[in-house]
Amino acid sequence: MADLAIQTGEGLIVMCQSSPGVFTITAAIKGTYSASLVVADFNHDGIPDLATAQDVYLGNGDGTFRQSYTLSQSGTYVQTGDFNGDGIPDLATSDAIDGVLAWLGVGDGTFGPPITVVPSTNPNLPLPVVADFNGDGFSDIVVTYNLAATATLYLGNANGAFTAQTLSNLPQLNQFPLSLGDFTNDGLIDLFFVNEAGQLMTLLNTTR
């Protein structure tokens, strides 16, 4: 049965499903906050773990968690993917001070030093989303900014580096992060977003 992990203004709450539709709080972690959180198996023990844009928590298998790592540069948003194709989940964090950083997972719940994907040259908060957009086995990052009419695709490479490609001629974006999905059922990840006028729009992936 599916469980829930919720980021609140005071920390994390984990709720496990004891019976269909019935949830019990199994963990409440105070003092950690980010605008998003992600779930992945960061230490390859088969148990889901949690990460915010500040800290990583390893699952104990009973709905509780233990802190395993604190990022040396905390962020606002966090995403997860495999940027160097080694099968170990990595992290991408963003904020208006440090820009967008990639953190390569070691495989034990810790991470290597941050890699600057996007330096902080824009006063607005960068909003990253992560997926393998070109199907090469390496996760990529699309970065947008509030009220911008462009987005940049950063293609992941085997060494953890990224190659930038600008996506131009977009309608002016709203303050919300992009959403992902395969809207044409062609196996490619497309983008879904809200423009400044509040309209729902899609940007179809044409990398093939």
PDB file of all heavy atoms in Angstrom, residues 155-169:
ATOM      1  N   LEU A 155      21.789  18.854 -20.658  1.00  0.00           N
ATOM      2  CA  LEU A 155      21.884  17.427 -20.928  1.00  0.00           C
ATOM      3  C   LEU A 155      22.981  16.808 -20.077  1.00  0.00           C
ATOM      4  O   LEU A 155      24.127  17.269 -20.079  1.00  0.00           O
ATOM      5  CB  LEU A 155      22.171  17.183 -22.408  1.00  0.00           C
ATOM      6  CG  LEU A 155      21.091  17.660 -23.386  1.00  0.00           C
ATOM      7  CD1 LEU A 155      21.569  17.498 -24.823  1.00  0.00           C
ATOM      8  CD2 LEU A 155      19.791  16.895 -23.164  1.00  0.00           C
ATOM      9  N   GLY A 156      22.634  15.741 -19.340  1.00  0.00           N
ATOM     10  CA  GLY A 156      23.606  15.074 -18.493  1.00  0.00           C
ATOM     11  C   GLY A 156      24.580  14.230 -19.301  1.00  0.00           C
ATOM     12  O   GLY A 156      24.216  13.642 -20.321  1.00  0.00           O
ATOM     13  N   ASN A 157      25.830  14.180 -18.824  1.00  0.00           N
ATOM     14  CA  ASN A 157      26.874  13.390 -19.459  1.00  0.00           C
ATOM     15  C   ASN A 157      27.433  12.377 -18.465  1.00  0.00           C
ATOM     16  O   ASN A 157      27.188  12.461 -17.262  1.00  0.00           O
ATOM     17  CB  ASN A 157      27.999  14.293 -19.980  1.00  0.00           C
ATOM     18  CG  ASN A 157      27.516  15.295 -21.003  1.00  0.00           C
ATOM     19  OD1 ASN A 157      26.896  14.922 -21.984  1.00  0.00           O
ATOM     20  ND2 ASN A 157      27.771  16.583 -20.766  1.00  0.00           N
ATOM     21  N   ALA A 158      28.222  11.415 -18.963  1.00  0.00           N
ATOM     22  CA  ALA A 158      28.715  10.331 -18.127  1.00  0.00           C
ATOM     23  C   ALA A 158      29.601  10.809 -16.988  1.00  0.00           C
ATOM     24  O   ALA A 158      29.705  10.155 -15.952  1.00  0.00           O
ATOM     25  CB  ALA A 158      29.470   9.313 -18.985  1.00  0.00           C
ATOM     26  N   ASN A 159      30.258  11.953 -17.149  1.00  0.00           N
ATOM     27  CA  ASN A 159      31.169  12.442 -16.118  1.00  0.00           C
ATOM     28  C   ASN A 159      30.498  13.387 -15.126  1.00  0.00           C
ATOM     29  O   ASN A 159      31.171  13.992 -14.298  1.00  0.00           O
ATOM     30  CB  ASN A 159      32.373  13.147 -16.764  1.00  0.00           C
ATOM     31  CG  ASN A 159      31.952  14.338 -17.628  1.00  0.00           C
ATOM     32  OD1 ASN A 159      30.757  14.606 -17.784  1.00  0.00           O
ATOM     33  ND2 ASN A 159      32.913  15.025 -18.202  1.00  0.00           N
ATOM     34  N   GLY A 160      29.178  13.511 -15.204  1.00  0.00           N
ATOM     35  CA  GLY A 160      28.476  14.398 -14.293  1.00  0.00           C
ATOM     36  C   GLY A 160      28.421  15.830 -14.755  1.00  0.00           C
ATOM     37  O   GLY A 160      27.887  16.694 -14.045  1.00  0.00           O
ATOM     38  N   ALA A 161      28.963  16.115 -15.936  1.00  0.00           N
ATOM     39  CA  ALA A 161      28.893  17.461 -16.500  1.00  0.00           C
ATOM     40  C   ALA A 161      27.607  17.615 -17.303  1.00  0.00           C
ATOM     41  O   ALA A 161      26.887  16.642 -17.566  1.00  0.00           O
ATOM     42  CB  ALA A 161      30.117  17.735 -17.373  1.00  0.00           C
ATOM     43  N   PHE A 162      27.324  18.834 -17.740  1.00  0.00           N
ATOM     44  CA  PHE A 162      26.078  19.118 -18.448  1.00  0.00           C
ATOM     45  C   PHE A 162      26.355  19.991 -19.663  1.00  0.00           C
ATOM     46  O   PHE A 162      27.249  20.847 -19.649  1.00  0.00           O
ATOM     47  CB  PHE A 162      25.082  19.824 -17.524  1.00  0.00           C
ATOM     48  CG  PHE A 162      24.609  18.972 -16.378  1.00  0.00           C
ATOM     49  CD1 PHE A 162      25.355  18.876 -15.212  1.00  0.00           C
ATOM     50  CD2 PHE A 162      23.424  18.260 -16.471  1.00  0.00           C
ATOM     51  CE1 PHE A 162      24.923  18.084 -14.159  1.00  0.00           C
ATOM     52  CE2 PHE A 162      22.986  17.464 -15.430  1.00  0.00           C
ATOM     53  CZ  PHE A 162      23.738  17.379 -14.273  1.00  0.00           C
ATOM     54  N   THR A 163      25.566  19.764 -20.723  1.00  0.00           N
ATOM     55  CA  THR A 163      25.643  20.568 -21.937  1.00  0.00           C
ATOM     56  C   THR A 163      24.335  21.335 -22.092  1.00  0.00           C
ATOM     57  O   THR A 163      23.254  20.739 -22.074  1.00  0.00           O
ATOM     58  CB  THR A 163      25.866  19.671 -23.172  1.00  0.00           C
ATOM     59  OG1 THR A 163      27.062  18.908 -22.993  1.00  0.00           O
ATOM     60  CG2 THR A 163      25.980  20.515 -24.430  1.00  0.00           C
ATOM     61  N   ALA A 164      24.429  22.670 -22.233  1.00  0.00           N
ATOM     62  CA  ALA A 164      23.246  23.531 -22.231  1.00  0.00           C
ATOM     63  C   ALA A 164      22.672  23.709 -23.632  1.00  0.00           C
ATOM     64  O   ALA A 164      23.408  23.846 -24.611  1.00  0.00           O
ATOM     65  CB  ALA A 164      23.591  24.894 -21.653  1.00  0.00           C
ATOM     66  N   GLN A 165      21.333  23.671 -23.716  1.00  0.00           N
ATOM     67  CA  GLN A 165      20.607  23.993 -24.936  1.00  0.00           C
ATOM     68  C   GLN A 165      19.430  24.894 -24.563  1.00  0.00           C
ATOM     69  O   GLN A 165      18.637  24.540 -23.687  1.00  0.00           O
ATOM     70  CB  GLN A 165      20.087  22.733 -25.636  1.00  0.00           C
ATOM     71  CG  GLN A 165      21.154  21.805 -26.151  1.00  0.00           C
ATOM     72  CD  GLN A 165      20.576  20.624 -26.910  1.00  0.00           C
ATOM     73  OE1 GLN A 165      19.375  20.534 -27.097  1.00  0.00           O
ATOM     74  NE2 GLN A 165      21.429  19.716 -27.342  1.00  0.00           N
ATOM     75  N   THR A 166      19.309  26.034 -25.217  1.00  0.00           N
ATOM     76  CA  THR A 166      18.246  26.989 -24.889  1.00  0.00           C
ATOM     77  C   THR A 166      16.965  26.642 -25.632  1.00  0.00           C
ATOM     78  O   THR A 166      16.976  26.371 -26.833  1.00  0.00           O
ATOM     79  CB  THR A 166      18.668  28.414 -25.253  1.00  0.00           C
ATOM     80  OG1 THR A 166      19.839  28.762 -24.511  1.00  0.00           O
ATOM     81  CG2 THR A 166      17.560  29.408 -24.911  1.00  0.00           C
ATOM     82  N   LEU A 167      15.858  26.623 -24.890  1.00  0.00           N
ATOM     83  CA  LEU A 167      14.529  26.443 -25.476  1.00  0.00           C
ATOM     84  C   LEU A 167      13.885  27.825 -25.528  1.00  0.00           C
ATOM     85  O   LEU A 167      13.526  28.394 -24.498  1.00  0.00           O
ATOM     86  CB  LEU A 167      13.690  25.493 -24.619  1.00  0.00           C
ATOM     87  CG  LEU A 167      14.345  24.157 -24.263  1.00  0.00           C
ATOM     88  CD1 LEU A 167      13.431  23.352 -23.349  1.00  0.00           C
ATOM     89  CD2 LEU A 167      14.673  23.368 -25.518  1.00  0.00           C
ATOM     90  N   SER A 168      13.757  28.393 -26.707  1.00  0.00           N
ATOM     91  CA  SER A 168      13.289  29.772 -26.853  1.00  0.00           C
ATOM     92  C   SER A 168      11.881  29.813 -27.424  1.00  0.00           C
ATOM     93  O   SER A 168      11.263  28.794 -27.725  1.00  0.00           O
ATOM     94  CB  SER A 168      14.247  30.566 -27.736  1.00  0.00           C
ATOM     95  OG  SER A 168      14.380  29.951 -28.997  1.00  0.00           O
ATOM     96  N   ASN A 169      11.366  31.043 -27.590  1.00  0.00           N
ATOM     97  CA  ASN A 169      10.042  31.297 -28.148  1.00  0.00           C
ATOM     98  C   ASN A 169       8.928  30.648 -27.329  1.00  0.00           C
ATOM     99  O   ASN A 169       7.917  30.192 -27.879  1.00  0.00           O
ATOM    100  CB  ASN A 169       9.956  30.824 -29.605  1.00  0.00           C
ATOM    101  CG  ASN A 169      10.944  31.538 -30.509  1.00  0.00           C
ATOM    102  OD1 ASN A 169      11.129  32.745 -30.377  1.00  0.00           O
ATOM    103  ND2 ASN A 169      11.578  30.805 -31.393  1.00  0.00           N
TER     104      ASN A 169
END
